[in-house]
Amino acid sequence: MSLNYAFSFSVFLLALVILNIYFFYTLNTIDRKSPKFNVPNLRFDLTSSVFKDIYEYLNYLPSQYKNKNSKFIKIQKSLVSSFNSSKNDNPASVWDETDKWISNQSLFPHENGVGGKILHALQSSQIALVDNALKGTQLKLLLLIEGKQKVYFKPKRYNLDHVIKGNIYAGFDRHNSEVFAYYLAMVLNFKWIAPSVIRYIHLDKDIVPVATSGLRRTMVKNDNGALCIYGKCFYCKVNETVCPDSKGQVEGAAILFLDKTFKVYKSPWRRSYSSKKMEWETDNDFCTKVRGTLSTKRLLNLIDVAIFDFLIQNGDRHRYEVYKEQIILLDNGKGLGNPLVDELDILAPLYQCCIMASSTWQHLEIISGGSLTETVKILSSFQGHKLATEEHFRAVERRLLKIYATVQYCIGRYGSSKVFKSGF
């Protein structure tokens, strides 16, 4: 009896020690004032358990991920300095600077105020020629502006507060998502993206006089007698036109045309665009197969892109373009659809592979506590346009917390030394 008693007492002491360790860990890691995140209704498939684990980590995130980090102040000041210098007496002269730009860190120069000058030139340069941009699934125009620079123009289809319901890739492209994505990429330090800005174009004054015959053939008058454009593209229809507002203007995103040769690849995590499930949606060991076909550098790049897409909820990146061995963030118009929905499977490359570039993680850690969207607002204010509703800004911050939780999930499974990769 004494032996059994001693054994039972030892087990009791061990349990008591474990409970105390857990208690003190909880006190030091949980922000007790923060609300609980409820796990959404999930399908009972292989992914469900992963999502539940990530939401569990979300509820126990250390407070440092919910507060501002003073290390970001210097970076924010640098970004503000670069984009708060849009005044330029000769907008076309900025293209001389970009033509000479050679770098393995970014597509275009951003330092010394060049970033703001590029956006000012996109927004204000005189238009010399307008044509249909034939490539793509949706209406966009190709502009030739002074300085012989080409620009894509994606017209406005929805008001900012319009909510896109349905599939993650539903609806027309959102012009504001293209511009929001550009500023977001700057804050995230993802410099492989084409500059983009909101621009207003007067249809009768700016487009009609310099329109090609091909563009003119895709113009029709609406019931009010206003000239509208339906364009020429894969999904363009004569009954889905873009018409000017009461001032005769069309609002849209002016996106710098990248006159470069890209290598195009299918994304391993592409969607089927039907009820059919892709392999990555049913196999949580899918990354093991991907590792056998892609370099670690490319895989880390895809994970960066997944993080970027998750923040704006762009679930339409079925392929990706590569320049100088870097993925270019093109076609970001499917973001900002529904601020109430967070499709966590956009992060599949992260939670299935559970690796991340150390430099990416270090930067993500310092844009916490609202600094990310605060900086997007500041930078976009220099061009004088609101890019999203407050609901969308709050949604981006909410999704950033979920990215932190996903990384914590990976650390919990494999340890920091296996998750973070240096030298890439």
Side-chain angles (χ1 to χ4, degrees):
M1 290 294 293
S2 59
L3 184 61
N4 290 336
Y5 177 82
F7 176 78
S8 299
F9 186 72
S10 299
V11 171
F12 172 78
L13 286 178
L14 179 61
L16 190 62
V17 170
I18 292 172
L19 284 172
N20 273 282
I21 292 173
Y22 176 78
F23 175 76
F24 283 110
Y25 171 80
T26 303
L27 277 179
N28 287 288
T29 58
I30 298 176
D31 182 355
R32 304 176 79 87
K33 295 181 181 179
S34 63
K36 290 289 184 182
F37 289 86
N38 294 320
V39 183
N41 291 326
L42 301 169
R43 301 179 306 274
F44 287 97
D45 57 18
L46 292 173
T47 308
S48 297
S49 61
V50 176
F51 286 3
K52 289 176 182 177
D53 287 346
I54 291 172
Y55 270 85
E56 187 66 19
Y57 276 95
L58 181 63
N59 281 321
Y60 294 94
L61 271 182
S63 58
Q64 70 188 72
Y65 298 116
K66 301 165 188 175
N67 300 322
K68 287 188 175 181
N69 191 318
S70 60
K71 293 180 181 179
F72 185 66
I73 295 175
K74 183 178 179 181
I75 296 174
Q76 187 184 64
K77 287 182 178 179
S78 177
L79 287 168
V80 169
S81 175
S82 179
F83 287 92
N84 191 21
S85 56
S86 60
K87 300 300 179 184
N88 188 6
D89 295 332
N90 181 15
S93 64
V94 73
W95 309 128
D96 295 332
E97 297 183 59
T98 60
D99 286 343
K100 299 172 185 176
W101 177 250
I102 299 175
S103 173
N104 291 322
Q105 283 73 49
S106 64
L107 272 178
F108 295 96
H110 303 283
E111 294 76 17
N112 302 318
V114 179
K117 291 178 182 178
I118 290 175
L119 296 184
H120 178 64
L122 288 174
Q123 198 174 51
S124 61
S125 294
Q126 186 174 347
I127 300 171
L129 187 70
V130 187
D131 197 3
N132 282 309
L134 301 180
K135 290 184 178 180
T137 60
Q138 300 189 35
L139 166 63
K140 60 179 178 286
L141 303 178
L142 182 62
L143 316 180
L144 183 66
I145 62 175
E146 55 183 322
K148 297 182 179 179
Q149 180 63 51
K150 295 177 182 177
V151 176
Y152 279 135
F153 182 79
K154 280 193 176 183
K156 173 183 175 180
R157 290 288 195 173
Y158 305 110
N159 292 325
L160 294 184
D161 59 358
H162 183 84
V163 175
I164 307 295
K165 297 181 179 180
N167 293 324
I168 190 67
Y169 47 81
F172 292 110
D173 281 4
R174 278 73 80 177
H175 75 297
N176 59 308
S177 179
E178 291 282 2
V179 181
F180 189 102
Y182 173 65
Y183 288 115
L184 179 70
M186 294 299 100
V187 182
L188 291 171
N189 200 35
F190 295 170
K191 301 296 178 63
W192 297 88
I193 187 171
S196 178
V197 70
I198 299 294
R199 175 166 182 163
Y200 289 88
I201 298 178
H202 197 284
L203 197 145
D204 290 331
K205 296 178 181 178
D206 298 327
I207 295 181
V208 173
V210 292
T212 63
S213 58
L215 176 58
R216 288 174 181 272
R217 285 194 292 270
T218 64
M219 292 181 175
V220 293
K221 287 189 176 182
N222 64 10
D223 294 339
N224 297 323
L227 198 60
C228 305
I229 303 172
Y230 64 88
K232 191 170 185 180
C233 65
F234 190 80
Y235 290 126
C236 286
K237 300 176 182 177
V238 69
N239 62 337
E240 293 180 343
T241 56
V242 169
C243 301
D245 60 19
S246 59
K247 297 180 181 179
Q249 295 179 320
V250 176
E251 178 184 340
I255 309 164
L256 192 61
F257 177 83
L258 301 180
D259 195 10
K260 304 179 186 297
T261 302
F262 301 128
K263 296 178 181 178
V264 182
Y265 301 91
K266 290 182 179 179
S267 170
W269 285 276
R270 63 189 179 277
R271 298 175 186 273
S272 67
Y273 298 93
S274 69
S275 59
K276 175 188 174 183
K277 295 292 182 186
M278 301 297 284
E279 188 175 359
W280 65 268
E281 294 178 279
T282 58
D283 181 6
N284 278 334
D285 291 325
F286 178 73
C287 190
T288 303
K289 298 176 181 178
V290 177
R291 287 176 188 266
T293 61
L294 297 177
S295 67
T296 300
K297 181 178 180 180
R298 177 62 54 79
L299 190 53
L300 291 170
N301 204 178
L302 282 168
I303 290 169
D304 284 350
V305 173
I307 290 169
F308 172 83
D309 283 339
F310 178 70
L311 288 170
I312 61 173
Q313 288 292 283
N314 174 25
D316 194 36
R317 203 175 296 280
H318 53 279
R319 66 175 193 174
Y320 61 92
E321 291 82 6
V322 172
Y323 178 69
K324 291 187 177 181
E325 297 307 311
Q326 289 286 337
I327 297 176
I328 309 300
L329 297 170
L330 295 178
D331 292 331
N332 305 301
K334 279 296 195 295
L336 304 182
N338 190 338
L340 303 179
V341 173
D342 300 344
E343 293 282 358
L344 203 58
D345 66 359
I346 298 175
L347 283 179
L350 175 57
Y351 64 68
Q352 289 181 348
C353 298
C354 270
I355 61 172
M356 176 183 285
S358 297
S359 57
T360 297
W361 177 239
Q362 291 164 8
H363 198 83
L364 285 175
E365 282 194 298
I366 65 173
I367 57 173
S368 59
S371 294
L372 174 59
T373 53
E374 175 189 77
T375 310
V376 171
K377 289 179 181 179
I378 293 172
L379 299 183
S380 61
S381 69
F382 300 140
Q383 274 67 46
H385 295 286
K386 185 178 179 180
L387 298 181
T389 64
E390 286 304 312
E391 287 78 9
H392 279 295
F393 282 110
R394 285 193 294 268
V396 170
E397 291 294 340
R398 181 181 70 236
R399 292 163 193 155
L400 179 59
L401 292 177
K402 292 181 179 179
I403 292 170
Y404 292 144
T406 305
V407 175
Q408 295 302 314
Y409 157 79
C410 288
I411 293 173
R413 288 194 68 185
Y414 303 106
S416 298
S417 61
K418 295 287 183 65
V419 173
F420 302 121
K421 305 295 180 182
S422 301
F424 293 95

